[in-house]
Amino acid sequence: MTRNSPAVVSASKLGLTFQTNDGPVQALSNVDLTIGKGEFVSFIGPSGCGKTTLLRVIADLEKPTAGTISVNGMTPEQARESRAYGYVFQAAALFPWRTIERNVGLPLEIIGLSKAEQAERIKRTLELVNLSGFEKKYPWQLSGGMQQRASIARALAFDADLLLMDEPFGALDEIVRDHLNEQLLELWERTNKTICFVTHSIPEAVYLSTRIVVMSPRPGRVSDIIESTLPKKRPLDIRETPEFLAIAARVRDGLRAGHSYDD
Amino acid sequence: MNWLKPSWQAVLAVALCLIAVALGAITKPEAAAMAQPEASLDYPYLVTKGLMFGLLLIAALVSMTKLPAIVEALVLFVGAHLTAWLLITGINGFEGTALAPYFLVLATAWLLGWRCVAVLSSLRPVANWAKTALRLIIPAIFGAWILILWEAITRGAGIPFILLPPPSAIGARIAGSLPVLGADVRQTIFKAVIFGYVVGSGAGFLAAIAADRVPFLRRGLLPIGNMVSALPIIGVAPIMVMWFGFDWQSKAAVVIIMTFFPMLVNTVAGLAASGHMERDLMRTYASGYWQTLFKLRLPAAAPFIFNALKINSTLALIGAIVAEFFGTPVVGMGFRISTEVGRMNIDMVWAEIAVAALAGSVFYGVVALFERAVTFWHPSVRGG
Ligand SMILES: Nc1ncnc2c1ncn2[C@@H]1O[C@H](COP(=O)(O)OP(=O)(O)OP(=O)(O)O)[C@@H](O)[C@H]1O
Ligand SMILES: [Mg+2]
């Protein structure tokens, strides 16, 4: 749908082999992927298939050992240095010596925003993830789900055009998850950000994405890419429509095919 | 029988007390007086003997009835400590004449004091002031009993002054030599220890950061630091005296050598303590070396750094005192200890030891307080 816009992420023949003590582990092999501006791409696949690794390669936290990748037309390193993306890790990774508001403000301090601008963004993003009133609390005084929401707020406050999210809602209950899914879609639509989103949940992937990348393990590779035909405006009950269920079924088939590789 | 609430301490206390009563004379003079009832010999506990036994028995028995814990603790406290006071003041002038019942009375009072602490530590007050008071009272009773036992045993058994003076004699010596002790503390602690501690710890910290920043230093500095820390203080101190003179500067140099390495190793370990994910997070913000250092790695290293500061607080004191054995102007805690031992003024040696222990505890306590304030977020602090 938006594929003719300039590529934000473009990978070709991308591979990554970890050298471990028990020999090489091929985490990614032959990944070809182009993500255009404004896309919402979900990565789904069994545990250990390289979803986190792929996100980390895009973020320049891991160097590929084969193929090429560019982010915003630059190398991942240049993109990281120009603060091109925000990253939500699989765990909250909040600093225990900082209050929630100062955790959310951490990236803003680093990029050197004015105090007023910092306060404004902290307030806005904490509202967005429903954490108003917890500004002065420390992370260890919050539940795991609240911590994860604070870490999402931190990435949103950073306000980069590319958002890399690694199972951000994995630790949350269904209702909060639904709410945050809606919020995220609304934010995406309003800001025209590009989002790469790792998840284990098929309904979540289908509900959010414009494209779903199905991956399979050993070696980690892309086994299927499914274009969503859903409209951009998506109320929560779109999940009961036949169209939605048809896409979900395709994703499920893709996942099954990947799993059968194991047997 | 449901008004009874026995405790093993109280039961044992009653038993010991009855044995003491049965054994009779508390001191040798009393035994002599009983042997010759016609001669009017003076002996200790003439009037207070019955009072002591009465206090102990009443306190032990009352403590076994169902009373509110606070009343029970109060009864035990008064019984145990009043008896101990009577026992210690009574032996005055008859040191070294104690017989078995003397020690039985002491043991009984101690058991009641123990029970008192046990009752107090089982209290769960709600009010904050009460919690604070309990936190202070329990260790205070503990410490008081070390002194009581020490005093009563050294005087009752007549232990030679040279071997172990009673705490009251040490206390009197401290009170009588305040100007000398004050001058020694100024020389040793306020000059050598503080200066050496600040410079040694500071240098260790900066060296750790340099080693972190410059890889070849990391490989070179740690083994050398390790070697320096293994240097025997007995060998280093005279050399420092030759280099830096007799005054406090040479002692400060010894302290610097002793405190440098613990800080270096601990800070190096602490700088590696931040998690991978947190460091990756800083990378995604394209945060520079110094920003990552100040916003992530140093706060994460704080528990390690405070560990080194606590270790160094005691090392510095030991180093400065021992270094003074190798030449100093005629003032200083180590100097005083080495000369007064030679003159057999053991109470003065103990007075210096007491002052050093007090200063060391205060020093450590101040560092620990800072630690609690700075690393409030660490599981070991917020948990307890
Ligand atoms: N630093 C590393 N060193 C060695 N092997 C690694 C490393 N990181 C990941 N791997 C391996 O690479 C493979 C892919 O890991 P990755 O974390 O990308 O999986 P994932 O798809 O994110 O799984 P999950 O859904 O459980 O998070 C795994 O086999 C893993 O063992
Ligand atoms: Mg993962």
Side-chain angles (χ1 to χ4, degrees), chain B residues 18 22 64 104 113 115 160 163 168 193 214 225 261 265 279 292 296 300 308 329 333 350 353 367 379-380:
Chain B
L18 293 177
M64 283 195 281
L104 285 174
R115 178 74 198 148
L163 286 187
S168 58
V193 170
V214 189
F261 189 67
V265 213
R279 270 186 265 180
T292 306
L296 169 63
M333 302 174 74
W350 278 98
I353 291 175
V367 176
S380 68

Side-chain angles (χ1 to χ4, degrees), chain A residues 4-57:
Chain A
N4 32 14
S5 50
V8 173
V9 177
S10 132
S12 88
K13 303 258 175 296
L14 191 70
L16 196 159
T17 309
F18 287 109
Q19 297 302 335
T20 68
N21 289 336
D22 344 308
V25 174
Q26 199 164 25
L28 289 176
S29 112
N30 249 330
V31 173
D32 287 309
L33 184 69
T34 308
I35 300 172
K37 173 137 187 59
E39 275 199 86
F40 196 128
V41 179
S42 285
F43 297 86
I44 194 165
S47 186
C49 69
K51 305 181 294 293
T52 299
T53 308
L54 180 54
L55 232 54
R56 287 174 63 85
V57 169

Side-chain angles (χ1 to χ4, degrees), chain A residues 28-239:
Chain A
L28 289 176
S29 112
N30 249 330
V31 173
D32 287 309
L33 184 69
T34 308
I35 300 172
K37 173 137 187 59
E39 275 199 86
F40 196 128
V41 179
S42 285
F43 297 86
I44 194 165
S47 186
C49 69
K51 305 181 294 293
T52 299
T53 308
L54 180 54
L55 232 54
R56 287 174 63 85
V57 169
I58 298 173
D60 186 40
L61 298 174
E62 228 55 271
K63 297 266 184 249
T65 51
T68 56
I69 178 164
S70 71
V71 178
N72 281 347
M74 301 176 261
T75 66
E77 182 170 5
Q78 289 164 334
R80 177 173 65 77
E81 250 137 41
S82 62
R83 294 169 172 139
Y85 63 85
Y87 197 114
V88 179
F89 288 85
Q90 216 163 340
L94 299 167
F95 294 180
W97 52 86
R98 285 176 167 249
T99 57
I100 292 302
E101 69 180 354
R102 295 200 55 230
N103 263 293
V104 175
L106 173 72
L108 312 180
E109 272 172 38
I110 290 172
I111 59 183
L113 290 188
S114 72
K115 282 265 179 288
E117 172 84 341
Q118 285 187 29
E120 193 275 319
R121 284 209 204 174
I122 292 168
K123 188 169 157 2
R124 182 160 45 83
T125 51
L126 280 179
E127 254 164 36
L128 205 63
V129 297
N130 261 339
L131 276 181
S132 305
F134 293 92
E135 291 88 351
K136 305 282 183 222
K137 290 262 189 277
Y138 286 92
W140 30 273
Q141 296 169 320
L142 266 53
S143 74
M146 292 161 97
Q147 293 178 20
Q148 189 60 18
R149 270 143 66 195
S151 89
I152 294 165
R154 181 177 60 189
L156 294 179
F158 192 50
D159 203 22
D161 284 335
L162 173 61
L163 206 48
L164 307 173
M165 306 177 88
D166 193 353
E167 292 185 45
F169 305 146
L172 307 177
D173 68 77
E174 284 289 321
I175 305 300
V176 174
R177 208 171 163 136
D178 282 353
H179 173 76
L180 285 177
N181 279 342
E182 272 187 299
Q183 294 280 315
L184 186 62
L185 263 189
E186 199 261 326
L187 178 104
W188 167 69
E189 206 185 335
R190 184 159 44 82
T191 56
N192 201 29
K193 284 183 196 301
T194 312
I195 300 183
C196 297
F197 188 94
V198 173
T199 179
H200 279 293
S201 153
I202 297 176
E204 187 172 68
V206 178
Y207 176 64
L208 292 171
S209 320
T210 56
R211 260 197 309 162
I212 300 153
V213 176
V214 182
M215 297 180 68
S216 57
R218 265 157 295 194
R221 65 206 137 79
V222 175
S223 58
D224 197 3
I225 298 184
I226 295 157
E227 297 275 349
S228 174
T229 50
L230 296 175
K232 213 170 180 188
K233 273 254 178 286
R234 298 173 186 183
L236 273 174
D237 49 22
I238 203 171
R239 294 181 297 187

Side-chain angles (χ1 to χ4, degrees), chain B residues 227-300:
Chain B
M227 206 183 67
V228 169
S229 81
L231 294 178
I233 175 178
I234 311 275
V236 172
I239 294 173
M240 290 301 129
V241 172
M242 291 205 293
W243 287 3
F244 298 106
F246 276 97
D247 211 346
W248 62 269
Q249 289 87 347
S250 56
K251 283 75 200 171
V254 172
V255 173
I256 290 173
I257 291 175
M258 287 186 77
T259 53
F260 175 80
F261 189 67
M263 183 52 102
L264 174 65
V265 213
N266 272 287
T267 309
V268 166
L271 286 176
S274 54
H276 285 289
M277 201 180 284
E278 284 78 6
R279 270 186 265 180
D280 282 345
L281 182 75
M282 296 304 272
R283 255 173 81 85
T284 70
Y285 300 142
S287 157
Y289 174 83
W290 295 107
Q291 274 187 324
T292 306
L293 186 71
F294 282 112
K295 291 191 193 299
L296 169 63
R297 299 176 68 212
L298 281 183

